[in-house]
């Protein structure tokens, strides 16, 4: 099991970034050491994080039998994250910045660019992300381990976009915009629209505790937006409602997430009968 999902799994992401903070600097007060998972068959080590002082250096991801699924290595330039590599799957993401703000994330597989995300802001808050996938089979693969959208969009939403593409078989690429609305220091809504064929809206609710994944960037777009929480939000998502419309049909569903806490940070997180256990340094 590579990682558990929110979304969420859209993944997913989320704090307001103040003028004294830079994107690409992830230095939480409580640093994650290990994450364990119990999906009903027993608790096992899922993620092992290694830090060098204030910088995250590697994350090892484990299968339930104890074997390593893959590892991510983090590279920095002037103390800001510049690149994340998943060598087992041949995946790389490169981050570039405009002064204090994340400007672009470029996703590669075996050194071939297949997705670009451009980040835009209103004041000091993220307002939208323009996504261009040049290889739709890669960028929207719901079965692949290294799918960069698997946490930003839930599996059913990825499948919906794939269905749109199947209706347009000559379409080798896809572009869409992810828009954000804020309530204080948390993202309250996230919407996606692709042409006139597909649109979705997430509405989030939060607790009043601190999100340990705030400002975390990884090798998946999930990790950029959502990770185990929502990357730009201050607090932890406790529920979300998804409203989705595709080619004239629509549906609504909800997800609820519960926590226990160690001080102001989560000690456990439960969603879809899967429990994550967090240990900090």
């Amino acid at each position: 099991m590579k990682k558990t999902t929110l979304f969420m799994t859209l993944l997913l992401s989320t704090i307001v970034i103040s003028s004294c903070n830079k994107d690409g600097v992830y230095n939480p007060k409580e640093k994650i050491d290990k994450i364990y998972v119990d999906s009903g068959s027993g608790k096992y080590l899922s993620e092992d994080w290694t830090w060098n002082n204030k910088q995250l250096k590697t994350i090892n991801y484990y299968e339930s039998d104890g074997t390593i699924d893959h590892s991510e290595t983090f590279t920095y330039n002037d103390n800001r994250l510049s690149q994340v590599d998943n060598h087992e799957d041949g995946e790389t993401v490169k981050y570039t910045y405009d002064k204090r703000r994340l400007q672009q994330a470029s996703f590669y597989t075996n050194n071939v660019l297949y997705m670009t995300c451009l980040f835009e802001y209103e004041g000091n808050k993220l307002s939208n992300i323009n996504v261009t996938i040049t290889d739709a089979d890669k960028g929207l693969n719901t079965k692949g381990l290294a799918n960069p959208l698997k946490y930003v969009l839930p599996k059913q939403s990825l499948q919906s976009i794939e269905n749109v593409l199947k209706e347009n078989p000559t379409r080798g690429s896809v572009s869409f915009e992810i828009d954000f609305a804020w309530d204080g220091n948390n993202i309250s809504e996230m919407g996606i629209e692709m042409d006139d064929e597909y649109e979705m809206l997430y509405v989030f609710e939060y607790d009043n505790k601190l999100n340990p994944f705030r400002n975390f960037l990884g090798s998946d777009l999930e990790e950029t937006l959502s990770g185990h929480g929502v990357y730009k939000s201050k607090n932890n998502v406790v529920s979300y409602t998804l409203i989705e419309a595709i080619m004239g049909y629509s549906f609504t569903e909800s997800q609820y997430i519960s926590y226990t806490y160690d001080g102001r940070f989560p000690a456990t997180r439960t969603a879809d009968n899967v429990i994550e256990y967090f240990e900090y340094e």
Side-chain angles (χ1 to χ4, degrees):
M1 183 175 183
K2 180 181 176 183
K3 308 179 190 73
T4 58
T5 66
L6 135 61
F7 173 96
M8 293 65 310
T9 199
L10 283 234
L11 256 101
L12 27 88
S13 331
T14 182
I15 269 176
V16 178
I17 302 174
S18 68
S19 60
C20 62
N21 292 331
K22 292 181 179 180
D23 287 350
V25 177
Y26 174 58
N27 183 28
K29 291 182 179 179
E30 294 287 343
K31 294 178 172 57
I32 293 170
D33 182 31
K34 292 178 174 60
I35 300 175
Y36 294 85
V37 169
D38 187 348
S39 57
S41 301
K43 181 179 175 181
Y44 68 91
L45 177 64
S46 176
E47 301 180 22
D48 187 3
W49 294 41
T50 301
W51 297 79
N52 181 9
N53 295 322
K54 296 180 179 181
Q55 290 185 344
L56 177 63
K57 301 304 289 185
T58 63
I59 302 177
N60 292 327
Y61 297 92
Y62 292 86
E63 300 283 3
S64 58
D65 62 3
T67 59
I68 292 182
D69 178 86
H70 73 285
S71 299
E72 291 179 347
T73 59
F74 297 77
T75 302
Y76 297 85
N77 181 14
D78 193 24
N79 294 320
R80 301 176 83 176
L81 183 66
S82 59
Q83 184 167 315
V84 184
D85 292 286
N86 170 354
H87 297 291
E88 287 84 352
D89 295 325
E91 298 291 320
T92 296
V93 58
K94 297 181 180 180
Y95 293 106
T96 57
Y97 305 89
D98 180 12
K99 298 179 180 178
R100 293 183 176 272
R101 300 287 171 255
L102 177 63
Q103 181 182 47
Q104 181 171 315
S106 302
F107 296 82
Y108 299 80
T109 180
N110 297 319
N111 297 316
V112 177
L113 178 68
Y114 68 91
M115 184 170 75
T116 301
C117 300
L118 299 177
F119 296 75
E120 297 182 357
Y121 303 84
E122 290 184 4
N124 58 2
K125 291 184 177 180
L126 179 67
S127 60
N128 58 73
I129 302 174
N130 294 300
V131 181
T132 300
I133 303 173
T134 54
D135 185 340
D137 288 337
K138 178 62 178 175
L140 296 173
N141 179 12
T142 59
K143 299 181 178 64
L145 287 175
N147 172 19
L149 286 174
K150 72 181 186 312
Y151 292 104
V152 177
L153 303 174
K155 185 174 181 179
Q156 65 269 25
S157 296
L158 292 173
Q159 187 62 56
S160 297
I161 295 178
E162 288 188 60
N163 292 339
V164 171
L165 293 174
K166 287 178 182 177
E167 296 293 324
N168 299 271
T170 61
R171 190 174 185 167
S173 64
V174 60
S175 297
F176 56 90
E177 185 172 287
I178 305 174
D179 296 309
F180 300 92
W182 290 77
D183 180 9
N185 290 341
N186 294 311
I187 288 176
S188 58
E189 295 183 358
M190 178 172 64
I192 296 176
E193 183 174 352
M194 188 175 72
D195 298 336
D196 296 324
E197 300 166 315
Y198 176 81
E199 60 182 302
M200 56 167 281
L201 175 68
Y202 277 98
V203 181
F204 300 104
E205 297 290 339
Y206 294 84
D207 63 11
N208 61 358
K209 303 295 186 179
L210 296 179
N211 173 15
F213 299 95
R214 173 187 182 181
N215 294 327
F216 172 69
L217 299 173
S219 66
D220 296 330
L221 186 53
E222 171 258 340
E223 293 168 335
T224 301
L225 293 187
S226 135
H228 298 268
V230 181
Y231 128 91
K232 293 302 285 178
S233 291
K234 178 178 181 179
N235 306 116
N236 304 286
V237 173
V238 295
S239 70
Y240 70 87
T241 299
L242 166 63
I243 305 167
E244 188 170 22
I246 175 172
M247 302 175 71
Y249 298 92
S250 63
F251 69 87
T252 300
E253 69 172 60
S254 297
Q255 171 74 65
Y256 299 93
I257 304 158
S258 62
Y259 300 85
T260 63
Y261 301 95
D262 179 5
R264 299 193 67 191
F265 288 87
T268 67
R269 173 184 181 274
T270 303
D272 288 331
N273 297 314
V274 176
I275 306 173
E276 290 178 295
Y277 300 82
F278 302 100
E279 292 187 357
Y280 301 93
E281 286 193 332

